[in-house]
């Protein structure tokens, strides 16, 4: 497939976007911070999990997603 470079397309996302990152994920937090910052209506939530929050922090994941939808509905 080759290398995909989509970073320059992030500012074109016009909808509210939730970026979820696990505090103990092998992917550095700065990557998710940069993604959320590049999206005009991006929001970052850091959960107390690794790469699989639906297994490691399901309550935190449900809370983050629920809060996100409540906030964008206002």
């Amino acid at each position: 497939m080759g290398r995909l470079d989509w970073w320059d397309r992030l500012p074109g996302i016009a909808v509210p976007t939730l970026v979820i990152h696990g505090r103990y994920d092998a992917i550095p937090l700065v990557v998710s911070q940069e993604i959320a910052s590049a999206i005009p209506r991006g929001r970052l939530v850091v959960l107390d999990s690794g790469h699989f929050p639906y297994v490691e922090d399901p309550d935190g994941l449900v809370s983050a997603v629920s809060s996100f939808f409540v906030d964008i509905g206002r």
Side-chain angles (χ1 to χ4, degrees):
M1 284 182 54
R3 184 179 168 168
L4 298 175
D5 188 4
W6 41 263
W7 286 94
D8 62 336
R9 299 181 72 186
L10 294 176
I13 298 174
V15 297
T17 303
L18 179 61
V19 177
I20 296 176
H21 187 89
R23 181 177 322 282
Y24 308 108
D25 197 328
I27 298 170
L29 175 59
V30 69
V31 174
S32 293
Q33 290 170 327
E34 289 178 2
I35 291 169
S37 293
I39 298 170
R41 297 176 68 190
R43 178 190 307 173
L44 173 64
V45 173
V46 179
L47 298 180
D48 196 28
S49 71
H51 195 73
F52 303 101
Y54 56 90
V55 173
E56 300 164 305
D57 188 10
D59 293 337
L61 179 62
V62 169
S63 177
V65 173
S66 297
S67 295
F68 175 74
F69 283 115
V70 167
D71 289 348
I72 63 171
R74 294 182 189 166

